[in-house]
Amino acid sequence: KNEVEQSPQNLTAQEGEFITINCSYSVGISALHWLQQHPGGGIVSLFMLSSGKKKHGRLIATINIQEKHSSLHITASHPRDSAVYICAVRLIQGAQKLVFGQGTRLTINP
Amino acid sequence: SAVISQKPSRDICQRGTSLTIQCQVDSQVTMMFWYRQQPGQSLTLIATANQGSEATYESGFVIDKFPISRPNLTFSTLTVSNMSPEDSSIYLCSAGTSYEQYFGPGTRLTVT
């Protein structure tokens, strides 16, 4: 079993829909990252969370440390949100190494 | 925040050759890492680049295949040696402090 599990693996939605991507992990962490990867391969860091909730524009990320679960929400989704969204956890042990989920491929149709 | 640049952004190489990827950070960072993302897979840590000393490799990765240098706090190189088609991947540089982690744009390598 992977240490970081994301669901769903693939998600297709219509423009304007509310999107939720989930991440569960089984290890002790000091922080959790949500990343966005576009087809060219480059990765953009969206959020780093250690507790609670963060919001940036139409993106909201939450984390529940007790339940070892995080969610990424996109409100009023747009075709430009189409990308792979990756959850990564920073382990308590192991310096600043990250363990990555498999990613969720999101497609927003106009 | 820190901005990371990588060169080259992509390359097509013949098997048996080697490619060196450069990673430059615009500010001093504590840690630098190299990751590999094979087609359809998630990212896997290759090694932690240590300033002025040998890199720390993860299980399954060896220095002879992936030599890494980090001469200072803002620059590192990864060489993919004696390439085979199985080395076709995106190679990603990442750098961080105690509070943040940043990612480069990646290098897309195709080995023919």
Side-chain angles (χ1 to χ4, degrees), chain B residues 5-7 20-24 32-36 43-49 55 58 61 66-70 75-79 91-95 106-107:
Chain B
S5 58
Q6 279 185 238
K7 288 194 295 187
T20 295
I21 303 167
Q22 297 179 2
C23 175
Q24 179 74 56
M32 292 184 77
F33 305 94
W34 287 98
Y35 292 91
R36 180 176 74 179
L43 288 93
T44 302
L45 181 64
I46 297 172
T48 303
E58 297 299 302
F61 297 97
F66 297 103
I68 288 171
S69 77
R70 188 180 174 190
F75 184 78
S76 177
T77 66
L78 167 74
T79 298
Y91 292 86
L92 203 69
C93 172
S94 173
T107 296

Side-chain angles (χ1 to χ4, degrees), chain B residues 64-85:
Chain B
D64 290 345
K65 176 66 176 176
F66 297 103
I68 288 171
S69 77
R70 188 180 174 190
N72 56 53
L73 288 175
T74 63
F75 184 78
S76 177
T77 66
L78 167 74
T79 298
V80 186
S81 303
N82 189 24
M83 288 184 283
S84 67

